[in-house]
Amino acid sequence: MRLIFFLLIFISTIAFAQDKPKPVQRDPYLQNPVKNQPQQLSPGNMVKIIHADEIKKDPLKYDGNQFLTGNVQVEHQGSILTADEVIIYKEENFVKAIGNTRLQNTDGSVITAGEMEYDGNTQKGVARKNVILTDPKQTIKTDIMYYDRVSNQAYFNTGGTISDGQNVMYTKTATYFLDTKMIDFVGNVKIDSPDYIVEGVNIKQNQNTKVAEFFGPTTITNRANPKNRVYTERGTYKMNTKEAYLNKNSKIFYNDKILTGDDMYYNQLSGFGKATGNVTLDDPLERRYIKGGYGEIYEKKDSAMMTKSPYAVKILEKDSIYFASEKIISYQKPDSLDATKKKSFLRAFRKGRFYKSNAQGRADSIAFNETDGILHMYTEPILWSGEKQVTGDKIEAYFNTETENIDSLKVLGNAFAISKVDSLTRKDEFNQVKGKLMTVYYQDNNIKEAKVIGNAQSIVYVDDENQQTKQKERIGITLSSCGIIGALFEEKALQIVSCSIGATSDTYPMSMLEPSKRKFPDFNWNTKDRIRKWQDILVDTPNYPEVQYEADNSLYDKAQEAVEKEKAKEEAKKPKRIRK
C-alpha cells in the first residue's frame, strides 16, 4: 500500500513537471537584462492575441508552451505581428513567429522574414531568413536583423543591401536609426548609383537629406569614366547635388590629373573643384606639377588655377623648368591640326619668373606652350643666359621638344642684348647690341649668335693678339650703326660679323672714347633681380646686392690730361691785354 502511494506521488510529480513549460532558448541579443530574474509584467505590457485559427498546447511540442496556427495576429503596443505560426511564452512575455512573418510598426516601417523572435518586455526582436525592412525611405534586405523598438534601431552584421529607389548600398554591417533615417555602415561599404560608385569602410548616410559622411578610406568613382574619381579619409558627400567636401588625405582624379590639398570641395556635376592648404596639382602625362596655397580646377574646360605663392615644375629628363608668379593657370585645348590630340599650356600672371639651368627670366606675365615648346614673356621681360642678358618689349623662347634645350630667342621691340666682356673680373666692360627686332641662336646651351634688324647698333670691345707675347691686347671700342647687324658671341668677345644697310662703323682707342659713350643710354644690366638658383623664383626678387664694377678710364684720363696741358700751353701763348 505504501509502495502504491509513493508511485502515485512520483507519477503526479512527473505530470506536474511536464505541465510546466520550459523557458525559451533566447538569442544572445534578447537575453534578460538581469539574468535569471523574471520580468515584472503589467497588463498593458503584455503581448495580446488578436486572431488565430487554432490555439494549441502540446507537451511534446515547443516545450509545452502555447502556440497559435493559421492566420495568426498578435499585437504589442500598436505593432502587429502576423505569421503562419506563433509560439507564446506567456510568463516571459515573449513570442516566436514562424513562416511568412510580418511586423507592422507604428512608425510605418514593416519587417518581413521567415521567422522572428520578439521580447515584449524589452521590445527587442530578431528576424531571420530573407529579412526585408521597408519604410518610405528605403528597403533593407539581409539574412539576420536585430531591431529595438525603444531606440527605434535596426541592425545587421551578416551582409545586406539597402535601396532607396535610386541608390543601392551593399555592406557587411549596418545600423539604421528609424527616427532620424540615419544609416551607419561599417566594413567594405559600397553605394551603387546610376552615375557614381561610393566605396568605403565606415560611412554614415542620412536618408532624409541624402548626405553621406566618411570616416575612413573612401572612393567615389565616376561610372562612365572610372579614371575620374575622388578619394578621402574624412569627408561629406551630398548624394543629390553630387558635392563632396573632403578634409583628410584627399585626392581628386580628373582628366589624368590629380588635385590634393588639406581641405577640398568638388562638384561632380559642374566639374568644379577647389582646395586650400598644401595644394598640389599633378599632371603625370605632362610631367608637370603645380603647388600653392589655393587651387581651383574646371574639369569640363580642362583647366586649373593656383594662387597663394604658387610655383610649377616641368620635369624634363635632363633639365627641369621652374615657374612662379602670383597666379598660375594651366589648361588644355584641342590641336587645330588634329582634333584627337590636345595641346597643353601654362601661364604665369603678375611677377612671372622661370628658371632653367641655362636660361632664367622674369616678366609681368609668362605663357608657355608645353606641347610645342614656345615660351612667351610679356611686359618688361628680361632673360639671362650665362653672363648674357636680353631685354625687349616681348621675348619668345623656342625649345627643342626632343633635346629639351633652347634653340633660339626672338625679341620684339626695343631688343637689347648685353654680355660681360670678361665674366671673371669686375671690370665695367660690356659688349652691347640693340635694335628693333632681334633673333638669338643657341649652341651647346649658350647664346652663340644674334641678328638685329632695324636701327641696329652695337658697342663692342675689340682685342687683338700680340704676336710676341701671344696675349690679348685692347685695341679699342667699335661703335657700329646699321640697318642689320649680325653678331657672334664668343667666350669673352662679341664679334660683329656683318653690318649692312646704311652701315657706319668706327673703332676708337680707349684714350679717345669718353666713358659715357661706352654704354647706350638705356643700358640696364641687372644683378639685383638675377635668378641664380631655382629657389629664387619663390620670392618676388632675390634682391641680391648690386655688383659694383670698376671702371678703367686711365688711358682716357691721361689723354684728357695731355689735351688740357696742350690747351693750357696754347692759352699761355696768347697775348695778354691790359686794360688802361
Side-chain angles (χ1 to χ4, degrees):
M1 190 73 179
R2 184 178 296 177
L3 178 61
I4 294 172
F5 175 75
F6 278 113
L7 287 172
L8 290 172
I9 293 175
F10 179 73
I11 292 169
S12 63
T13 303
I14 293 175
F16 177 79
Q18 289 178 342
D19 286 342
K20 186 176 182 180
K22 293 182 180 180
V24 66
Q25 297 297 314
R26 295 171 177 257
D27 186 283
Y29 177 74
L30 301 176
Q31 293 292 343
N32 288 330
V34 181
K35 192 174 183 180
N36 300 324
Q37 294 295 320
Q39 298 290 314
Q40 296 296 321
L41 306 179
S42 62
N45 196 38
M46 297 293 292
V47 175
K48 299 177 182 178
I49 301 173
I50 298 177
H51 179 270
D53 291 346
E54 292 184 83
I55 300 177
K56 301 179 181 180
K57 190 173 184 180
D58 185 346
L60 301 178
K61 195 170 184 180
Y62 303 128
D63 298 320
N65 289 282
Q66 189 180 61
F67 62 96
L68 317 175
T69 61
N71 300 312
V72 182
Q73 287 188 355
V74 297
E75 182 269 339
H76 186 257
Q77 296 188 355
S79 293
I80 306 296
L81 174 64
T82 62
D84 294 339
E85 188 173 35
V86 175
I87 303 100
I88 304 290
Y89 297 86
K90 188 173 181 181
E91 292 186 2
E92 301 177 60
N93 199 23
F94 187 94
V95 298
K96 183 174 182 179
I98 302 173
N100 296 313
T101 62
R102 184 179 188 272
L103 178 63
Q104 174 72 57
N105 294 303
T106 55
D107 62 1
S109 63
V110 177
I111 301 175
T112 62
E115 61 182 49
M116 292 187 193
E117 296 177 8
Y118 179 73
D119 188 333
N121 299 316
T122 62
Q123 298 188 50
K124 291 182 178 180
V126 178
R128 298 185 179 87
K129 300 178 182 179
N130 300 320
V131 183
I132 301 175
L133 183 154
T134 59
D135 70 6
K137 296 298 180 181
Q138 70 278 303
T139 299
I140 301 176
K141 296 181 180 180
T142 185
D143 193 47
I144 301 175
M145 178 180 289
Y146 305 90
Y147 55 95
D148 186 336
R149 291 186 59 228
V150 175
S151 61
N152 226 10
Q153 296 180 16
Y155 166 81
F156 65 83
N157 60 7
T158 54
T161 64
I162 301 173
S163 174
D164 60 7
Q166 293 181 330
N167 309 307
V168 180
M169 290 141 270
Y170 306 85
T171 182
K172 173 71 174 176
T173 302
T175 301
Y176 179 40
F177 301 84
L178 282 83
D179 289 338
T180 61
K181 307 304 180 187
M182 180 70 76
I183 302 178
D184 188 350
F185 301 93
V186 178
N188 297 326
V189 184
K190 180 180 179 181
I191 302 176
D192 199 343
S193 73
D195 300 317
Y196 298 95
I197 299 172
V198 181
E199 295 176 288
V201 296
N202 189 350
I203 299 176
K204 290 183 179 180
Q205 179 168 307
N206 188 310
Q207 296 296 78
N208 282 328
T209 62
K210 298 299 180 184
V211 174
E213 294 183 78
F214 310 135
F215 299 89
T218 306
T219 303
I220 307 171
T221 304
N222 186 315
R223 184 181 290 277
N225 185 0
K227 291 194 298 183
N228 286 10
R229 62 193 187 278
V230 173
Y231 172 85
T232 188
E233 295 178 10
R234 180 72 175 91
T236 303
Y237 183 56
K238 295 183 178 180
M239 303 289 290
N240 289 336
T241 59
K242 302 296 186 292
E243 293 176 283
Y245 300 83
L246 316 172
N247 309 115
K248 181 181 178 183
N249 296 334
S250 308
K251 297 180 180 181
I252 298 173
F253 298 81
Y254 78 103
N255 300 346
D256 298 311
K257 303 170 184 63
I258 307 167
L259 179 69
T260 61
D262 294 340
D263 291 289
M264 305 174 69
Y265 165 83
Y266 183 57
N267 187 316
Q268 290 177 311
L269 295 179
S270 65
F272 171 75
K274 62 181 179 179
T276 59
N278 298 302
V279 184
T280 300
L281 177 61
D282 191 9
D283 190 339
L285 295 183
E286 283 298 326
R287 297 189 300 174
R288 182 247 298 137
Y289 63 85
I290 309 173
K291 287 182 174 290
Y294 176 80
E296 294 180 356
I297 61 171
Y298 304 86
E299 177 185 333
K300 295 181 179 179
K301 294 182 179 180
D302 210 353
S303 65
M305 180 271 293
M306 194 81 70
T307 60
K308 293 188 178 179
S309 303
Y311 70 92
V313 181
K314 177 76 172 180
I315 301 172
L316 304 177
E317 293 291 339
K318 302 175 183 177
D319 186 14
S320 298
I321 310 176
Y322 301 80
F323 298 89
S325 62
E326 292 184 357
K327 179 191 292 186
I328 293 178
I329 294 177
S330 67
Y331 62 95
Q332 290 182 312
K333 63 181 183 180
D335 191 334
S336 59
L337 300 179
D338 186 350
T340 63
K341 296 181 179 180
K342 286 186 175 182
K343 288 189 175 184
S344 295
F345 300 86
L346 185 77
R347 289 190 174 181
F349 290 98
R350 291 185 295 277
K351 300 179 181 178
R353 291 92 66 188
F354 82 90
Y355 173 88
K356 197 174 184 292
S357 65
N358 67 322
Q360 308 83 40
R362 59 174 61 248
D364 181 70
S365 61
I366 297 173
F368 184 38
N369 181 333
E370 299 175 80
T371 306
D372 296 336
I374 304 174
L375 185 144
H376 303 265
M377 303 174 67
Y378 302 93
T379 310
E380 298 181 354
I382 180 169
L383 183 143
W384 296 275
S385 186
E387 291 302 311
K388 303 173 182 66
Q389 175 186 293
V390 178
T391 58
D393 294 340
K394 177 186 176 183
I395 296 177
E396 295 177 354
Y398 295 84
F399 290 80
N400 186 314
T401 55
E402 294 183 0
T403 64
E404 302 175 349
N405 295 323
I406 297 179
D407 281 343
S408 62
L409 304 175
K410 282 188 178 180
V411 189
L412 310 175
N414 295 309
F416 196 168
I418 305 171
S419 69
K420 188 78 171 60
V421 173
D422 188 346
S423 61
L424 301 178
T425 71
R426 291 292 181 89
K427 288 186 177 182
D428 191 17
E429 297 178 342
F430 296 89
N431 293 317
Q432 305 149 63
V433 59
K434 60 180 294 188
K436 288 184 177 181
L437 305 175
M438 181 186 300
T439 303
V440 178
Y441 301 95
Y442 275 71
Q443 181 178 318
D444 298 328
N445 284 330
N446 293 304
I447 291 178
K448 184 63 177 178
E449 187 178 347
K451 184 177 183 180
V452 186
I453 300 174
N455 297 331
Q457 302 174 67
S458 66
I459 297 177
V460 178
Y461 284 75
V462 183
D463 294 333
D464 198 7
E465 185 178 279
N466 187 304
Q467 296 299 321
Q468 294 181 348
T469 64
K470 304 299 182 182
Q471 297 294 320
K472 292 283 187 179
E473 291 183 353
R474 178 62 44 78
I475 296 175
I477 300 176
T478 299
L479 306 183
S480 301
S481 178
C482 321
I484 300 176
I485 284 181
L488 189 65
F489 289 87
E490 298 176 346
E491 185 177 356
K492 294 183 180 182
L494 174 65
Q495 181 180 354
I496 303 301
V497 294
S498 65
C499 184
S500 58
I501 307 178
T504 60
S505 182
D506 296 295
T507 300
Y508 299 88
M510 300 300 291
S511 60
M512 298 295 293
L513 188 64
E514 59 187 276
S516 62
K517 293 184 178 180
R518 298 177 187 179
K519 295 177 182 175
F520 290 119
D522 52 350
F523 181 87
N524 58 357
W525 183 256
N526 188 328
T527 57
K528 179 175 72 72
D529 301 321
R530 173 73 189 269
I531 298 170
R532 296 191 177 275
K533 56 183 185 297
W534 84 263
Q535 291 84 352
D536 288 343
I537 69 170
L538 301 179
V539 294
D540 289 348
T541 172
N543 202 25
Y544 287 119
E546 285 282 8
V547 177
Q548 300 299 315
Y549 295 100
E550 301 171 356
D552 184 4
N553 301 327
S554 57
L555 294 177
Y556 179 79
D557 292 341
K558 287 181 180 179
Q560 289 301 108
E561 184 180 346
V563 171
E564 291 300 324
K565 287 182 179 179
E566 290 299 321
K567 285 183 179 180
K569 289 180 181 180
E570 293 298 322
E571 190 67 26
K573 294 179 180 180
K574 292 182 180 179
K576 301 294 189 293
R577 290 189 177 186
I578 300 174
R579 187 170 183 176
K580 295 182 179 180

